[in-house]
Coordinates of all heavy atoms in Angstrom, one line a residue:
M1 N 0.8 -1.2 0.0 CA 0.0 0.0 0.0 C 0.9 1.3 0.0 O 0.5 2.2 -0.7 CB -0.9 -0.1 1.2 CG -2.0 1.0 1.2 SD -3.1 0.6 -0.1 CE -4.2 2.0 0.1
K2 N 2.0 1.2 0.8 CA 2.9 2.3 0.8 C 3.5 2.5 -0.6 O 3.7 3.7 -1.0 CB 3.9 2.2 1.9 CG 3.4 2.3 3.3 CD 4.6 2.3 4.2 CE 4.1 2.6 5.7 NZ 5.2 2.6 6.6
N3 N 3.8 1.5 -1.3 CA 4.4 1.6 -2.6 C 3.5 2.2 -3.6 O 3.9 3.1 -4.4 CB 4.8 0.2 -3.1 CG 5.7 0.2 -4.3 OD1 6.2 1.3 -4.7 ND2 5.8 -0.9 -5.0
L4 N 2.2 1.9 -3.5 CA 1.2 2.5 -4.4 C 1.1 4.0 -4.1 O 1.0 4.8 -4.9 CB -0.2 1.8 -4.2 CG -1.3 2.3 -5.0 CD1 -1.1 2.2 -6.5 CD2 -2.6 1.6 -4.7
R5 N 1.0 4.3 -2.7 CA 0.9 5.7 -2.3 C 2.1 6.5 -2.8 O 2.0 7.6 -3.3 CB 0.8 5.8 -0.8 CG 0.5 7.1 -0.3 CD 0.4 7.2 1.2 NE -0.6 6.2 1.7 CZ -0.6 5.6 2.9 NH1 0.3 6.0 3.7 NH2 -1.5 4.8 3.2
T6 N 3.3 5.9 -2.7 CA 4.5 6.7 -3.2 C 4.5 6.8 -4.7 O 4.9 7.9 -5.2 CB 5.8 5.9 -2.8 OG1 5.5 4.9 -1.8 CG2 6.8 6.8 -2.3
T7 N 4.0 5.8 -5.4 CA 4.0 5.9 -6.9 C 3.0 7.0 -7.2 O 3.3 7.8 -8.1 CB 3.5 4.6 -7.5 OG1 4.4 3.5 -7.0 CG2 3.5 4.6 -9.0
I8 N 1.8 7.1 -6.6 CA 0.8 8.1 -7.0 C 1.4 9.5 -6.6 O 1.2 10.4 -7.3 CB -0.5 7.8 -6.3 CG1 -1.1 6.6 -6.9 CG2 -1.4 9.0 -6.4 CD1 -2.3 6.0 -6.2
R9 N 2.0 9.6 -5.4 CA 2.6 10.9 -5.0 C 3.7 11.3 -6.0 O 3.7 12.5 -6.4 CB 3.2 10.8 -3.6 CG 3.6 12.1 -3.1 CD 4.2 12.1 -1.6 NE 3.1 11.6 -0.8 CZ 3.3 10.7 0.2 NH1 4.5 10.2 0.4 NH2 2.4 10.3 1.0
N10 N 4.5 10.4 -6.4 CA 5.5 10.8 -7.4 C 4.9 11.2 -8.7 O 5.4 12.2 -9.4 CB 6.5 9.6 -7.6 CG 7.4 9.4 -6.4 OD1 7.6 10.2 -5.6 ND2 7.9 8.2 -6.3
W11 N 3.9 10.5 -9.1 CA 3.2 10.9 -10.4 C 2.6 12.3 -10.3 O 2.7 13.1 -11.2 CB 2.1 9.9 -10.7 CG 1.4 10.1 -12.0 CD1 1.9 10.1 -13.3 CD2 0.0 10.3 -12.2 NE1 0.9 10.3 -14.2 CE2 -0.2 10.5 -13.5 CE3 -1.0 10.5 -11.3 CZ2 -1.5 10.7 -14.0 CZ3 -2.3 10.8 -11.8 CH2 -2.5 10.9 -13.1
F12 N 1.9 12.6 -9.2 CA 1.3 13.9 -9.0 C 2.4 15.0 -8.9 O 2.3 16.1 -9.4 CB 0.5 14.0 -7.7 CG -0.9 13.5 -8.0 CD1 -1.5 12.5 -7.2 CD2 -1.7 14.0 -9.0 CE1 -2.7 12.0 -7.4 CE2 -3.0 13.6 -9.2 CZ -3.5 12.5 -8.4
D13 N 3.6 14.7 -8.3 CA 4.6 15.7 -8.2 C 5.2 15.9 -9.6 O 5.5 17.1 -9.9 CB 5.8 15.1 -7.3 CG 5.4 15.1 -5.8 OD1 4.4 15.9 -5.5 OD2 6.0 14.4 -5.1
K14 N 5.3 14.9 -10.4 CA 5.8 15.1 -11.8 C 4.8 16.0 -12.6 O 5.2 16.9 -13.3 CB 5.9 13.8 -12.5 CG 6.5 13.8 -13.9 CD 6.8 12.5 -14.5 CE 5.4 12.1 -15.2 NZ 5.5 10.9 -16.0
L15 N 3.5 15.7 -12.4 CA 2.5 16.5 -13.1 C 2.5 18.0 -12.6 O 2.4 18.9 -13.4 CB 1.1 15.9 -12.9 CG 0.7 14.7 -13.7 CD1 -0.7 14.2 -13.3 CD2 0.8 14.9 -15.2
D16 N 2.7 18.1 -11.3 CA 2.7 19.5 -10.7 C 4.0 20.2 -11.3 O 3.9 21.4 -11.6 CB 2.8 19.4 -9.2 CG 2.7 20.8 -8.6 OD1 1.8 21.6 -9.0 OD2 3.5 21.1 -7.7
G17 N 5.1 19.5 -11.4 CA 6.3 20.1 -12.0 C 6.1 20.6 -13.4 O 6.5 21.6 -13.9
Q18 N 5.4 19.7 -14.2 CA 5.1 20.0 -15.6 C 4.2 21.2 -15.7 O 4.3 22.1 -16.6 CB 4.5 18.9 -16.3 CG 5.4 17.7 -16.6 CD 4.7 16.5 -17.2 OE1 3.5 16.5 -17.3 NE2 5.5 15.5 -17.6
W19 N 3.2 21.3 -14.8 CA 2.3 22.5 -14.8 C 3.0 23.8 -14.4 O 2.7 24.8 -15.1 CB 1.1 22.2 -13.8 CG 0.1 23.3 -13.7 CD1 0.1 24.2 -12.7 CD2 -0.9 23.6 -14.6 NE1 -0.9 25.1 -12.9 CE2 -1.6 24.8 -14.1 CE3 -1.3 23.1 -15.8 CZ2 -2.7 25.3 -14.7 CZ3 -2.4 23.7 -16.4 CH2 -3.1 24.8 -15.9
R20 N 3.9 23.7 -13.4 CA 4.6 24.9 -13.1 C 5.6 25.3 -14.1 O 5.9 26.5 -14.2 CB 5.3 24.7 -11.7 CG 4.3 24.5 -10.5 CD 5.0 24.3 -9.2 NE 4.1 24.0 -8.2 CZ 3.5 24.9 -7.4 NH1 3.8 26.1 -7.6 NH2 2.7 24.5 -6.5
A21 N 6.1 24.4 -14.8 CA 7.1 24.7 -15.9 C 6.4 25.4 -17.1 O 7.0 26.0 -17.9 CB 7.8 23.5 -16.3
M22 N 5.1 25.2 -17.2 CA 4.4 25.7 -18.4 C 4.2 27.3 -18.2 O 4.1 27.8 -17.1 CB 3.0 25.1 -18.4 CG 2.2 25.3 -19.6 SD 0.6 24.5 -19.5 CE 0.9 22.8 -19.1
P23 N 4.3 28.0 -19.3 CA 4.1 29.5 -19.2 C 2.7 29.8 -18.6 O 1.7 29.1 -18.8 CB 4.2 30.0 -20.6 CG 4.8 28.9 -21.4 CD 4.6 27.6 -20.6
V24 N 2.6 30.9 -17.9 CA 1.4 31.4 -17.2 C 0.3 31.6 -18.2 O -0.9 31.3 -17.9 CB 1.7 32.7 -16.4 CG1 0.4 33.1 -15.7 CG2 2.7 32.4 -15.3
A25 N 0.6 32.1 -19.4 CA -0.5 32.4 -20.4 C -1.1 31.0 -20.8 O -2.3 30.9 -21.0 CB 0.1 33.1 -21.6
K26 N -0.3 30.0 -21.0 CA -0.8 28.7 -21.3 C -1.6 28.1 -20.2 O -2.6 27.5 -20.5 CB 0.4 27.8 -21.8 CG 0.0 26.6 -22.6 CD 1.2 25.9 -23.2 CE 0.8 24.9 -24.2 NZ 1.9 24.2 -24.8
Q27 N -1.1 28.3 -19.0 CA -1.9 27.8 -17.8 C -3.3 28.5 -17.8 O -4.3 27.8 -17.6 CB -1.2 28.1 -16.5 CG 0.0 27.2 -16.3 CD 0.7 27.6 -14.9 OE1 0.2 28.5 -14.2 NE2 1.8 27.0 -14.7
H28 N -3.3 29.7 -18.1 CA -4.5 30.5 -18.0 C -5.5 30.0 -19.1 O -6.7 29.9 -18.9 CB -4.2 32.0 -18.2 CG -5.4 32.9 -18.1 ND1 -6.0 33.2 -16.9 CD2 -6.1 33.6 -19.1 CE1 -7.0 34.0 -17.2 NE2 -7.1 34.2 -18.5
R29 N -4.9 29.7 -20.3 CA -5.7 29.2 -21.4 C -6.3 27.9 -21.1 O -7.5 27.6 -21.4 CB -4.8 29.2 -22.7 CG -5.7 28.8 -23.9 CD -4.9 28.7 -25.2 NE -3.9 29.8 -25.4 CZ -2.6 29.6 -25.6 NH1 -2.2 28.4 -25.8 NH2 -1.8 30.6 -25.7
Y30 N -5.5 26.9 -20.6 CA -6.0 25.6 -20.2 C -7.1 25.7 -19.1 O -8.1 25.0 -19.2 CB -4.9 24.7 -19.7 CG -4.1 24.1 -20.8 CD1 -2.7 24.0 -20.8 CD2 -4.8 23.4 -21.8 CE1 -2.0 23.4 -21.7 CE2 -4.0 22.8 -22.8 CZ -2.7 22.8 -22.8 OH -2.0 22.2 -23.8
T31 N -6.9 26.6 -18.2 CA -7.9 26.8 -17.1 C -9.2 27.3 -17.7 O -10.3 26.8 -17.4 CB -7.4 27.7 -16.0 OG1 -6.1 27.2 -15.6 CG2 -8.4 27.8 -14.9
L32 N -9.2 28.3 -18.6 CA -10.3 28.8 -19.3 C -11.0 27.8 -20.1 O -12.3 27.7 -20.1 CB -10.0 30.0 -20.1 CG -9.8 31.3 -19.3 CD1 -9.4 32.5 -20.3 CD2 -11.0 31.7 -18.6
L33 N -10.3 27.0 -20.8 CA -10.9 25.9 -21.6 C -11.6 24.9 -20.8 O -12.7 24.4 -21.1 CB -9.8 25.2 -22.5 CG -9.4 26.0 -23.7 CD1 -8.2 25.4 -24.4 CD2 -10.5 26.2 -24.7
L34 N -11.0 24.5 -19.7 CA -11.6 23.5 -18.8 C -12.9 24.1 -18.2 O -13.9 23.4 -18.1 CB -10.6 23.1 -17.7 CG -9.5 22.1 -18.2 CD1 -8.6 21.9 -17.0 CD2 -10.1 20.8 -18.6
F35 N -12.8 25.4 -17.7 CA -14.0 26.0 -17.2 C -15.1 26.1 -18.3 O -16.3 25.9 -18.0 CB -13.6 27.4 -16.6 CG -14.8 28.1 -16.1 CD1 -15.4 27.7 -14.9 CD2 -15.4 29.2 -16.7 CE1 -16.5 28.4 -14.3 CE2 -16.5 29.8 -16.2 CZ -17.0 29.4 -15.0
A36 N -14.7 26.5 -19.5 CA -15.7 26.6 -20.6 C -16.4 25.2 -20.9 O -17.6 25.1 -21.1 CB -15.1 27.1 -21.8
G37 N -15.6 24.2 -20.9 CA -16.1 22.8 -21.1 C -17.1 22.4 -20.0 O -18.1 21.8 -20.2
Y38 N -16.7 22.7 -18.7 CA -17.6 22.4 -17.6 C -18.9 23.2 -17.7 O -19.9 22.7 -17.4 CB -16.8 22.7 -16.3 CG -17.6 22.5 -15.0 CD1 -17.9 21.2 -14.6 CD2 -18.2 23.5 -14.3 CE1 -18.6 21.0 -13.5 CE2 -18.9 23.3 -13.2 CZ -19.1 22.0 -12.8 OH -19.9 21.8 -11.6
T39 N -18.8 24.5 -18.0 CA -20.0 25.3 -18.2 C -20.9 24.8 -19.3 O -22.1 24.7 -19.1 CB -19.6 26.8 -18.4 OG1 -18.7 27.2 -17.4 CG2 -20.8 27.7 -18.5
L40 N -20.3 24.4 -20.4 CA -21.1 23.9 -21.5 C -21.8 22.6 -21.1 O -23.0 22.4 -21.4 CB -20.2 23.6 -22.7 CG -20.8 23.1 -24.0 CD1 -21.8 24.1 -24.6 CD2 -19.8 22.7 -25.0
L41 N -21.1 21.7 -20.4 CA -21.7 20.5 -20.0 C -22.9 20.8 -19.0 O -23.9 20.1 -19.1 CB -20.6 19.6 -19.3 CG -21.1 18.2 -18.8 CD1 -21.5 17.4 -20.1 CD2 -20.0 17.5 -18.1
T42 N -22.7 21.7 -18.1 CA -23.7 22.1 -17.1 C -24.9 22.6 -17.9 O -26.1 22.3 -17.5 CB -23.2 23.1 -16.2 OG1 -22.0 22.6 -15.5 CG2 -24.2 23.5 -15.1
V43 N -24.7 23.5 -18.9 CA -25.9 24.1 -19.6 C -26.6 23.0 -20.4 O -27.8 22.9 -20.4 CB -25.4 25.2 -20.5 CG1 -26.4 25.6 -21.5 CG2 -24.9 26.4 -19.8
I44 N -25.9 22.0 -21.0 CA -26.5 20.9 -21.7 C -27.4 20.0 -20.8 O -28.5 19.7 -21.1 CB -25.4 20.1 -22.5 CG1 -24.8 20.9 -23.6 CG2 -26.0 18.8 -22.9 CD1 -23.7 20.2 -24.2
V45 N -26.8 19.7 -19.6 CA -27.6 18.9 -18.6 C -28.8 19.6 -18.2 O -29.9 19.1 -18.1 CB -26.7 18.5 -17.4 CG1 -27.5 17.9 -16.3 CG2 -25.7 17.5 -17.9
L46 N -28.7 20.9 -17.9 CA -29.9 21.7 -17.4 C -30.9 21.8 -18.5 O -32.1 21.7 -18.3 CB -29.4 23.1 -17.0 CG -28.7 23.2 -15.6 CD1 -28.2 24.6 -15.4 CD2 -29.6 22.7 -14.5
F47 N -30.5 22.0 -19.7 CA -31.4 22.0 -20.9 C -32.2 20.7 -21.0 O -33.4 20.7 -21.2 CB -30.7 22.4 -22.2 CG -31.6 22.5 -23.4 CD1 -32.5 23.5 -23.6 CD2 -31.5 21.4 -24.3 CE1 -33.3 23.5 -24.7 CE2 -32.4 21.4 -25.4 CZ -33.3 22.5 -25.6
K48 N -31.4 19.6 -20.9 CA -32.0 18.3 -21.0 C -33.0 18.0 -19.9 O -34.1 17.5 -20.2 CB -30.9 17.2 -21.0 CG -31.4 15.8 -21.1 CD -32.0 15.4 -22.4 CE -32.2 13.9 -22.4 NZ -33.5 13.6 -22.9
M49 N -32.7 18.5 -18.7 CA -33.6 18.3 -17.6 C -34.9 19.1 -17.8 O -36.0 18.6 -17.6 CB -33.0 18.7 -16.3 CG -32.0 17.7 -15.7 SD -31.1 18.2 -14.3 CE -32.3 19.2 -13.4
C50 N -34.7 20.3 -18.3 CA -36.0 21.2 -18.5 C -36.8 20.6 -19.7 O -38.0 20.6 -19.6 CB -35.5 22.6 -18.8 SG -34.8 23.5 -17.5
Y51 N -36.1 20.1 -20.7 CA -36.8 19.5 -21.8 C -37.6 18.2 -21.4 O -38.8 18.1 -21.7 CB -35.8 19.1 -22.9 CG -36.5 18.5 -24.1 CD1 -37.1 19.2 -25.1 CD2 -36.4 17.1 -24.3 CE1 -37.7 18.6 -26.2 CE2 -37.0 16.5 -25.4 CZ -37.6 17.2 -26.3 OH -38.2 16.6 -27.4
D52 N -37.0 17.4 -20.5 CA -37.7 16.2 -20.1 C -38.8 16.5 -19.1 O -39.9 15.9 -19.2 CB -36.7 15.3 -19.3 CG -35.7 14.6 -20.3 OD1 -35.9 14.6 -21.5 OD2 -34.7 14.1 -19.8
V53 N -38.7 17.5 -18.3 CA -39.8 17.9 -17.4 C -40.9 18.5 -18.3 O -42.1 18.2 -18.0 CB -39.3 18.9 -16.3 CG1 -40.5 19.5 -15.6 CG2 -38.4 18.2 -15.4
A54 N -40.7 19.3 -19.2 CA -41.7 19.9 -20.0 C -42.5 19.0 -20.9 O -43.6 19.2 -21.2 CB -41.1 21.0 -20.9
H55 N -41.8 17.9 -21.3 CA -42.5 16.9 -22.2 C -42.8 15.6 -21.5 O -43.0 14.6 -22.2 CB -41.6 16.6 -23.4 CG -41.4 17.8 -24.3 ND1 -40.4 18.7 -24.2 CD2 -42.2 18.2 -25.4 CE1 -40.6 19.7 -25.1 NE2 -41.6 19.4 -25.8
S56 N -43.0 15.6 -20.2 CA -43.4 14.4 -19.5 C -44.9 14.2 -19.6 O -45.6 15.1 -19.7 CB -42.9 14.4 -18.1 OG -43.6 15.5 -17.4
D57 N -45.3 13.0 -19.5 CA -46.7 12.6 -19.6 C -47.4 12.8 -18.2 O -48.6 13.0 -18.2 CB -46.9 11.2 -20.1 CG -46.5 11.0 -21.5 OD1 -46.4 12.0 -22.2 OD2 -46.2 9.8 -21.9
N58 N -46.7 12.7 -17.2 CA -47.2 12.8 -15.8 C -48.3 11.8 -15.6 O -49.3 12.1 -14.9 CB -47.7 14.2 -15.5 CG -46.6 15.2 -15.4 OD1 -45.4 14.8 -15.1 ND2 -46.9 16.4 -15.7
T59 N -48.2 10.6 -16.2 CA -49.2 9.6 -15.9 C -48.6 8.4 -15.2 O -47.4 8.1 -15.5 CB -49.8 9.1 -17.2 OG1 -48.8 8.5 -18.0 CG2 -50.6 10.1 -17.9
L60 N -49.3 7.8 -14.3 CA -48.8 6.6 -13.6 C -49.7 5.5 -13.9 O -50.9 5.5 -13.6 CB -48.8 6.9 -12.1 CG -48.3 5.9 -11.2 CD1 -46.8 5.5 -11.4 CD2 -48.5 6.2 -9.7
I61 N -49.2 4.4 -14.4 CA -50.0 3.2 -14.8 C -49.9 2.2 -13.6 O -48.7 1.8 -13.2 CB -49.4 2.6 -16.0 CG1 -49.5 3.6 -17.2 CG2 -50.2 1.3 -16.4 CD1 -48.9 3.2 -18.5
I62 N -51.0 1.9 -13.0 CA -51.0 0.9 -11.9 C -51.7 -0.4 -12.4 O -52.8 -0.3 -12.9 CB -51.8 1.5 -10.8 CG1 -51.2 2.8 -10.2 CG2 -51.9 0.5 -9.6 CD1 -52.0 3.5 -9.2
E63 N -50.9 -1.4 -12.3 CA -51.4 -2.7 -12.8 C -51.1 -3.8 -11.7 O -50.3 -3.6 -10.8 CB -50.6 -3.2 -14.1 CG -50.9 -2.2 -15.3 CD -50.0 -2.6 -16.5 OE1 -49.1 -3.5 -16.3 OE2 -50.3 -2.1 -17.5
H64 N -51.8 -4.9 -11.9 CA -51.6 -6.0 -10.9 C -50.2 -6.6 -11.2 O -49.8 -6.7 -12.3 CB -52.7 -7.1 -11.0 CG -54.0 -6.6 -10.6 ND1 -54.3 -6.4 -9.2 CD2 -55.2 -6.2 -11.2 CE1 -55.5 -6.0 -9.1 NE2 -56.1 -5.8 -10.3
I65 N -49.7 -7.1 -10.2 CA -48.4 -7.8 -10.3 C -48.7 -9.3 -10.7 O -49.5 -9.9 -10.1 CB -47.6 -7.8 -9.0 CG1 -47.3 -6.3 -8.6 CG2 -46.3 -8.6 -9.1 CD1 -46.6 -6.2 -7.3
E66 N -48.1 -9.7 -11.8 CA -48.3 -11.1 -12.3 C -47.4 -12.0 -11.6 O -46.2 -11.7 -11.3 CB -48.1 -11.1 -13.8 CG -49.0 -10.3 -14.7 CD -50.4 -10.7 -14.6 OE1 -50.6 -11.9 -14.4 OE2 -51.3 -9.9 -14.7
N67 N -47.9 -13.2 -11.3 CA -47.1 -14.2 -10.6 C -46.2 -14.9 -11.7 O -46.8 -15.5 -12.7 CB -48.1 -15.3 -10.0 CG -47.3 -16.3 -9.2 OD1 -46.1 -16.3 -9.2 ND2 -48.1 -17.1 -8.5
P68 N -44.9 -14.8 -11.6 CA -44.0 -15.4 -12.6 C -44.1 -16.9 -12.7 O -43.8 -17.5 -13.7 CB -42.6 -14.9 -12.2 CG -42.7 -14.6 -10.7 CD -44.2 -14.2 -10.5
I69 N -44.6 -17.6 -11.6 CA -44.6 -19.0 -11.7 C -45.8 -19.5 -12.5 O -45.8 -20.4 -13.3 CB -44.8 -19.6 -10.2 CG1 -43.5 -19.3 -9.5 CG2 -45.0 -21.1 -10.3 CD1 -43.5 -19.7 -8.0
R70 N -46.9 -18.7 -12.5 CA -48.1 -19.1 -13.3 C -47.8 -18.9 -14.8 O -48.4 -19.5 -15.7 CB -49.3 -18.3 -12.9 CG -49.9 -18.7 -11.7 CD -51.2 -18.0 -11.5 NE -51.8 -18.2 -10.2 CZ -52.8 -17.6 -9.7 NH1 -53.4 -16.7 -10.5 NH2 -53.3 -17.9 -8.5
Q71 N -47.0 -18.0 -15.1 CA -46.6 -17.7 -16.5 C -45.8 -18.8 -17.2 O -45.8 -19.0 -18.3 CB -45.9 -16.3 -16.7 CG -46.8 -15.2 -16.4 CD -46.0 -13.9 -16.4 OE1 -44.8 -13.9 -16.7 NE2 -46.7 -12.8 -16.1
N72 N -45.1 -19.5 -16.3 CA -44.3 -20.6 -16.8 C -45.3 -21.8 -17.3 O -46.1 -22.2 -16.5 CB -43.4 -21.1 -15.7 CG -42.3 -22.1 -16.3 OD1 -42.4 -22.4 -17.4 ND2 -41.5 -22.5 -15.4
S73 N -45.1 -22.3 -18.5 CA -46.1 -23.3 -19.0 C -45.5 -24.7 -18.8 O -46.0 -25.6 -19.4 CB -46.3 -23.0 -20.5 OG -45.0 -23.1 -21.1
S74 N -44.6 -24.9 -17.9 CA -44.0 -26.2 -17.7 C -45.0 -27.1 -16.9 O -45.8 -26.5 -16.1 CB -42.7 -26.2 -17.0 OG -42.8 -25.7 -15.7
S75 N -45.0 -28.4 -17.1 CA -46.0 -29.2 -16.4 C -45.5 -29.6 -15.0 O -46.3 -30.1 -14.2 CB -46.1 -30.5 -17.2 OG -44.9 -31.2 -17.2
V76 N -44.3 -29.2 -14.6 CA -43.8 -29.5 -13.3 C -44.3 -28.4 -12.4 O -44.1 -27.2 -12.6 CB -42.3 -29.6 -13.2 CG1 -41.8 -29.8 -11.9 CG2 -41.8 -30.6 -14.2
S77 N -45.0 -28.8 -11.2 CA -45.5 -27.8 -10.3 C -44.3 -27.5 -9.3 O -43.6 -28.4 -8.9 CB -46.7 -28.3 -9.6 OG -46.3 -29.5 -8.8
P78 N -44.2 -26.3 -8.9 CA -43.2 -25.9 -8.0 C -43.5 -26.4 -6.6 O -44.7 -26.4 -6.2 CB -43.3 -24.3 -8.0 CG -44.6 -24.0 -8.4 CD -45.0 -25.1 -9.4
Q79 N -42.6 -26.9 -5.8 CA -42.8 -27.4 -4.5 C -41.9 -26.7 -3.5 O -40.8 -26.3 -3.9 CB -42.4 -28.9 -4.5 CG -43.3 -29.8 -5.3 CD -42.9 -31.2 -5.3 OE1 -41.9 -31.6 -4.8 NE2 -43.7 -32.1 -5.8
D80 N -42.3 -26.6 -2.3 CA -41.6 -26.0 -1.3 C -40.5 -27.0 -0.8 O -40.8 -28.2 -0.7 CB -42.5 -25.7 -0.1 CG -41.8 -24.8 0.9 OD1 -40.7 -24.4 0.6 OD2 -42.3 -24.7 2.0
S81 N -39.3 -26.6 -0.6 CA -38.2 -27.5 -0.2 C -38.4 -28.1 1.1 O -37.8 -29.1 1.4 CB -36.9 -26.7 -0.3 OG -36.9 -25.7 0.6
T82 N -39.2 -27.5 2.0 CA -39.4 -28.0 3.3 C -40.4 -29.2 3.3 O -40.4 -30.0 4.2 CB -39.9 -26.9 4.3 OG1 -41.1 -26.4 3.8 CG2 -38.8 -25.9 4.5
T83 N -41.2 -29.3 2.3 CA -42.2 -30.4 2.2 C -41.8 -31.5 1.3 O -42.5 -32.4 1.1 CB -43.6 -29.8 1.7 OG1 -43.4 -29.3 0.4 CG2 -44.1 -28.8 2.7
T84 N -40.6 -31.5 0.8 CA -40.1 -32.5 -0.1 C -39.7 -33.7 0.7 O -39.0 -33.6 1.7 CB -38.9 -32.0 -1.0 OG1 -39.4 -30.8 -1.6 CG2 -38.5 -33.1 -1.9
N85 N -40.2 -34.9 0.4 CA -39.9 -36.1 1.1 C -38.9 -36.9 0.3 O -39.1 -37.1 -0.9 CB -41.1 -37.0 1.3 CG -42.1 -36.3 2.3 OD1 -41.7 -35.6 3.2 ND2 -43.4 -36.5 2.0
F86 N -37.8 -37.3 0.9 CA -36.8 -38.0 0.2 C -36.9 -39.5 0.7 O -37.0 -39.8 1.9 CB -35.4 -37.5 0.5 CG -35.1 -36.1 -0.1 CD1 -35.1 -35.0 0.8 CD2 -35.0 -35.9 -1.4 CE1 -34.9 -33.7 0.3 CE2 -34.8 -34.7 -2.0 CZ -34.8 -33.6 -1.1
K87 N -36.7 -40.4 -0.3 CA -36.7 -41.9 0.1 C -35.3 -42.3 0.3 O -34.4 -41.9 -0.5 CB -37.4 -42.7 -1.0 CG -38.8 -42.4 -1.1 CD -39.4 -43.3 -2.2 CE -40.9 -43.0 -2.3 NZ -41.5 -43.9 -3.3
R88 N -35.1 -43.2 1.2 CA -33.7 -43.6 1.5 C -33.5 -45.0 0.9 O -34.2 -45.9 0.8 CB -33.4 -43.7 3.0 CG -33.3 -42.4 3.5 CD -33.0 -42.4 5.0 NE -32.9 -41.1 5.5 CZ -32.3 -40.7 6.6 NH1 -31.7 -41.6 7.3 NH2 -32.4 -39.5 7.0

């Protein structure tokens, strides 16, 4: 576990070093692009939610629950395991 933690910490340190070595203008551009992508994704999700709410049927269908054993057309009847008698 310690080896995994050290590997991850070294990887993050390397990424942090690469980020700090990058010019500030490029850092600023990447930050703005990530923020713009996040904002676009948020707007799309909000639009989709509003669209789904506006076009919903608002109907609830209530039906009886069907017994899955009766739907089975096999000739073998289901038995309870506690009532099964075994011959020796």
Side-chain angles (χ1 to χ4, degrees):
M1 190 66 181
K2 284 186 177 182
N3 190 15
L4 178 64
R5 188 179 306 153
T6 344
T7 304
I8 292 172
R9 185 178 300 137
N10 290 339
W11 182 63
F12 277 125
D13 288 341
K14 185 178 86 170
L15 285 177
D16 187 48
Q18 289 175 352
W19 178 258
R20 291 178 188 270
M22 197 180 304
V24 177
K26 200 169 189 178
Q27 288 179 4
H28 185 72
R29 188 180 317 129
Y30 277 133
T31 306
L32 283 177
L33 283 173
L34 287 173
F35 180 71
Y38 178 75
T39 305
L40 180 66
L41 184 64
T42 303
V43 168
I44 289 171
V45 167
L46 288 175
F47 178 74
K48 175 71 170 133
M49 284 175 36
C50 292
Y51 178 79
D52 288 345
V53 168
H55 291 92
S56 65
D57 293 339
N58 291 333
T59 58
L60 180 64
I61 300 172
I62 300 174
E63 297 177 348
H64 290 287
I65 300 173
E66 298 294 329
N67 188 351
I69 295 175
R70 283 191 190 174
Q71 292 176 358
N72 192 356
S73 62
S74 67
S75 62
V76 178
S77 64
Q79 294 180 351
D80 190 12
S81 62
T82 59
T83 61
T84 306
N85 295 326
F86 294 106
K87 294 182 180 180
R88 292 184 181 198

